[in-house]
Amino acid sequence: MDTNALNTALVALLAKKHELHQLAYSDTRYDDMEEELHDLEDDFNEEYGDFLEKALEKVHADLSSDTDVLLPTAYLPNNPTPVAEDGVWVDSEKYPGKQVRLVLLPNPVRLVLNTGKGQQHELWKA
């Protein structure tokens, strides 16, 4: 796996996602940009999905989670600087009673678990 190409694709995808989130729904560019984002997400999942899904399955298993593994793009943060609410909620026996979220981040490509109040744990790195 070319991790540099993966990182470049992830950075481009996140940039487009953040660009879209800055537009109002009433903006005439919104629909076109949303379609561009969906195309980028589809291309990303097609190109890197198998590789990232294997990593996600391992991380879910390591967390003793019975939460379903989703497409890699579901784990992208909503904010340029990820916050605790970003990512996908996962049920984990290793973090009982905590709201934990798994997020896919670039530079380097990695899966990080947000355990609340700014606590992050890197669980996997490409």
Side-chain angles (χ1 to χ4, degrees):
M1 172 59 54
D2 182 351
T3 57
N4 289 328
L6 170 59
N7 189 67
T8 299
L10 181 56
V11 168
L13 181 57
L14 289 171
K16 182 60 74 176
K17 184 174 182 175
H18 298 310
E19 187 179 348
L20 175 66
H21 284 286
Q22 293 178 11
L23 294 180
Y25 289 119
S26 60
D27 192 305
T28 58
R29 300 170 294 162
Y30 189 90
D31 289 340
D32 290 338
M33 191 172 296
E34 184 178 41
E35 189 172 321
E36 289 175 26
L37 175 61
H38 290 311
D39 289 344
L40 280 175
E41 288 174 334
D42 290 344
D43 292 346
F44 185 84
N45 284 327
E46 185 175 321
E47 181 72 24
Y48 303 106
D50 289 342
F51 174 74
L52 291 171
E53 284 177 24
K54 287 177 186 168
L56 286 161
E57 287 169 1
K58 181 183 181 323
V59 167
H60 275 253
D62 290 347
L63 289 171
S64 300
S65 174
D66 59 0
T67 307
D68 291 339
V69 174
L70 305 176
L71 290 173
T73 51
Y75 296 86
L76 299 178
N78 291 324
N79 301 290
T81 304
V83 296
E85 295 80 28
D86 280 338
V88 173
W89 174 84
V90 291
D91 181 34
S92 173
E93 291 180 17
K94 291 193 174 186
Y95 296 91
K98 288 193 175 191
Q99 292 286 334
V100 296
R101 293 183 168 275
L102 193 56
V103 64
L104 178 61
L105 300 174
N107 301 321
V109 176
R110 63 201 185 280
L111 289 166
V112 172
L113 189 71
N114 290 327
T115 57
K117 298 183 181 176
Q119 295 178 351
Q120 294 185 332
H121 306 280
E122 184 177 288
L123 302 179
W124 174 86
K125 185 165 62 170

